Amino acid sequence: MAHDFNGKVVIITGSSSGIGQAAAILFAKLGASVTIHGRSENGLKKTEDLIFEAGISKERIHSVRGAVTDSEVQKALINETIKTFGRIDILINNAGGVKDDEKNQRSMAALDYCLDVNLKA
Ligand SMILES: NC(=O)c1ccc[n+]([C@@H]2O[C@H](COP(=O)([O-])OP(=O)(O)OC[C@H]3O[C@@H](n4cnc5c(N)ncnc54)[C@H](OP(=O)(O)O)[C@@H]3O)[C@@H](O)[C@H]2O)c1
């Protein structure tokens, strides 16, 4: 099944590793301009490198770094994408996970983190 995303603009939160990274590479290969996002500078660089290795030009990739729960980062994702690519067609709200520094994953702190990152953001 062939998909053509030429001219489409996609934001993928949490694309510095894993599923989001794979999605960012795939959307870029299928013609989309992509805003990638995550907290890890190294992870974002890895995603960019993999996209460039696939022959995609720098002009089709924009990177936003920071916690997805931070309203300034949320605004940057939207505003910088529109400024760079002129529009937004698709948002993949992929960033997520558990509170790594919490021993008791059944604590209220772990639940709050989960809701903040996976639901509210
Ligand atoms: N893999 C599975 O079996 C599975 C199953 C069910 C649901 N999911 C969900 O699918 C999504 C992707 O999973 P994955 O396996 O690809 O996970 P992953 O490899 O851990 O990737 C998670 C991505 O989200 C980003 N992220 C996590 N917390 C963040 C935060 N607070 N602020 C900003 N970015 C944040 C990470 O970036 P940084 O580390 O750079 O911040 C990373 O790019 C997640 O939402 C996960 O919960 C996965």
Side-chain angles (χ1 to χ4, degrees), residues 63-115:
S63 179
V64 173
R65 188 159 83 91
V68 75
T69 47
D70 181 339
S71 62
E72 290 306 313
V73 174
Q74 294 164 1
K75 281 182 208 156
L77 280 163
I78 294 166
N79 295 340
E80 290 183 24
T81 299
I82 291 171
K83 194 173 169 203
T84 308
F85 302 128
R87 54 193 277 171
I88 298 169
D89 295 297
I90 299 166
L91 166 65
I92 300 183
N93 219 352
N94 166 78
V98 296
K99 191 165 162 47
D100 292 332
D101 59 358
E102 178 68 40
K103 262 195 197 155
N104 178 8
Q105 287 296 329
R106 299 179 70 182
S107 69
M108 291 310 285
L111 177 63
D112 283 342
Y113 181 88
C114 191
L115 293 175

Side-chain angles (χ1 to χ4, degrees), residues 13-21 37-41 43-44 66-69 73 93-98 113 117-118:
T13 67
S15 37
S16 54
S17 68
I19 296 166
Q21 183 177 69
H37 158 265
R39 291 164 301 181
S40 160
E41 197 170 353
L44 286 169
V68 75
T69 47
V73 174
N93 219 352
N94 166 78
V98 296
Y113 181 88
V117 173
N118 296 281

